[in-house]
Amino acid sequence: MPIISAPHEYNEDNLYVDLAPSFGVPLYLKCEGFNFSGSIKQKAALQMVEGAEKAGRLTVDSILVESSSGNLGVALSMIAASKGYRFVCVTDARCSAASRHIMRAFGAEVHTVTDAAADGGLLGARLAYVRGLCAADERYVWLNQYVNADNWRAHHQSTAPHIAAQFPHLDALFVGAGTTGTLMGCARWFREHRPEVRIVAVDTVGSVIFGGAPRTRLIPGLGAAVRPPLLDEAFVDDVVRVTETDTVQACRRLLGHGFLFGGSTGSVVFGAVQWLTAHADSLAAAVAIAPDLGERYLDSLYQPEWVEANYGLGPAA
């Protein structure tokens, strides 16, 4: 049994759900929501904070600041509380109320952007606000998950090798795309050590990460209104795009089997099942990464009135 003295010292890396009985394809779901911040973002948050500490950028007078749609902000709030830093999270209306409450409970300041930028949408507006803070006060330290190499290094050092150890005969790995930190870290590791594994990115319709026209998206986590600088498509074998309606349906199907996951997981599972249905004859094992659990989305994704108002879907059967 592990004994820890700080919350970021623990991360459950070996829990998988076999989705074959539920979806009829050879797919295992790596569950990343069982740590003290509740998501896979804890890995990147810790790596970026400790990288800034080693570089001497963080001091006792520093104020951490980051743009986040929810999970990274929660992870940084927890780490800041543990390490004694002040933290400001700049988010937007898509961030769940639960995530904002958790951040404030940890002592973070949460600023919610309401007006989209002409170039870059709400993300562009968040980034502009962060830049303004940093320009006005040198105490602000922006980790900048969108360009910070420690974002992908966290998964290169941890997530990918853990998956490889658990599945020595892995054929395909499905990873959701947001900042693309998780995607790039895993893709780079498998290209170096297990190049036969196919890396499939899952994105949302309306995201511009892999091209396409921008569209309003309501479910936080995957997708972006700005192409992530971390992305190198040479490491990605295939891309699957999922509508938010399909995300809701996948989450409801998981819920029907007793699993309450977040929207990103619904998107990744739907995309993986869709891809595997066309390729399963030649595959023995595939893994999809579930970034978080579903409790933070009870007032949106799992709220029947919200779903019906936004997607026209009636109550789940």
Side-chain angles (χ1 to χ4, degrees):
M1 179 180 296
I3 298 175
I4 65 173
S5 57
H8 51 268
E9 293 175 358
Y10 176 77
N11 196 87
E12 172 55 62
D13 247 320
N14 298 307
L15 179 62
Y16 293 79
V17 175
D18 182 359
L19 291 182
S22 305
F23 288 87
V25 292
L27 181 63
Y28 297 90
L29 190 62
K30 187 180 193 305
C31 303
E32 289 280 354
F34 293 95
N35 56 51
F36 284 92
S37 69
S39 83
I40 195 171
K41 289 292 189 177
Q42 180 171 305
K43 294 176 178 177
L46 182 61
Q47 186 93 1
M48 290 190 293
V49 167
E50 292 187 340
E53 289 174 334
K54 291 174 184 176
R57 294 177 59 209
L58 281 176
T59 69
V60 293
D61 296 321
S62 297
I63 305 172
L64 283 168
V65 61
E66 186 56 89
S67 159
S68 170
S69 62
N71 282 337
L72 183 71
V74 171
L76 285 171
S77 297
M78 182 200 75
I79 293 169
S82 176
K83 289 176 170 283
Y85 294 117
R86 292 176 58 190
F87 172 56
V88 177
C89 180
V90 181
T91 188
D92 58 57
R94 291 171 298 182
C95 178
S96 72
S99 293
R100 292 196 295 269
H101 293 326
I102 293 169
M103 286 188 273
R104 292 190 177 107
F106 278 124
E109 177 186 334
V110 181
H111 178 82
T112 303
V113 170
T114 56
D115 297 322
D119 182 19
L122 287 169
L123 175 57
R126 280 162 34 192
L127 297 180
Y129 189 88
V130 172
R131 292 188 185 100
L133 288 178
C134 294
D137 191 333
E138 63 182 11
R139 293 177 300 166
Y140 284 100
V141 175
W142 182 18
L143 298 174
N144 199 350
Q145 62 168 325
Y146 308 99
V147 302
N148 193 326
D150 280 330
N151 186 348
W152 67 260
R153 287 193 188 108
H155 304 287
H156 188 274
Q157 296 173 9
S158 175
T159 310
H162 275 104
I163 294 171
Q166 190 77 18
F167 295 90
H169 303 293
L170 183 67
D171 294 303
L173 176 64
F174 299 88
V175 188
T179 65
T180 68
T182 307
L183 174 63
M184 285 294 96
C186 290
R188 288 174 183 274
W189 191 94
F190 277 99
R191 180 64 59 86
E192 295 164 12
H193 302 281
R194 300 265 296 278
E196 73 280 5
V197 176
R198 298 196 67 177
I199 304 299
V200 182
V202 180
D203 196 11
T204 56
V205 172
S207 165
V208 304
I209 293 176
F210 295 98
R215 185 188 301 178
T216 299
R217 293 171 290 110
L218 301 177
I219 300 174
L222 301 191
V226 177
R227 181 181 169 88
L230 294 179
L231 176 64
D232 185 342
E233 292 187 58
F235 290 93
V236 179
D237 296 302
D238 208 348
V239 178
V240 179
R241 292 177 175 85
V242 176
T243 69
E244 290 193 335
T245 299
D246 290 331
T247 295
V248 173
Q249 299 283 33
C251 286
R252 286 180 168 183
R253 186 164 178 177
L254 287 163
L255 192 64
H257 291 274
F259 295 108
L260 183 68
F261 285 108
S264 297
T265 298
S267 298
V268 173
V269 168
F270 186 91
V273 170
Q274 187 178 51
W275 192 93
L276 288 169
T277 299
H279 298 83
D281 290 345
S282 60
L283 298 176
V287 168
I289 296 177
D292 63 4
L293 301 178
E295 291 91 338
R296 294 173 189 172
Y297 311 97
L298 292 176
D299 60 349
S300 56
L301 185 61
Y302 292 103
Q303 220 282 338
E305 290 79 11
W306 187 90
V307 171
E308 185 168 11
N310 289 289
Y311 305 109
L313 298 176

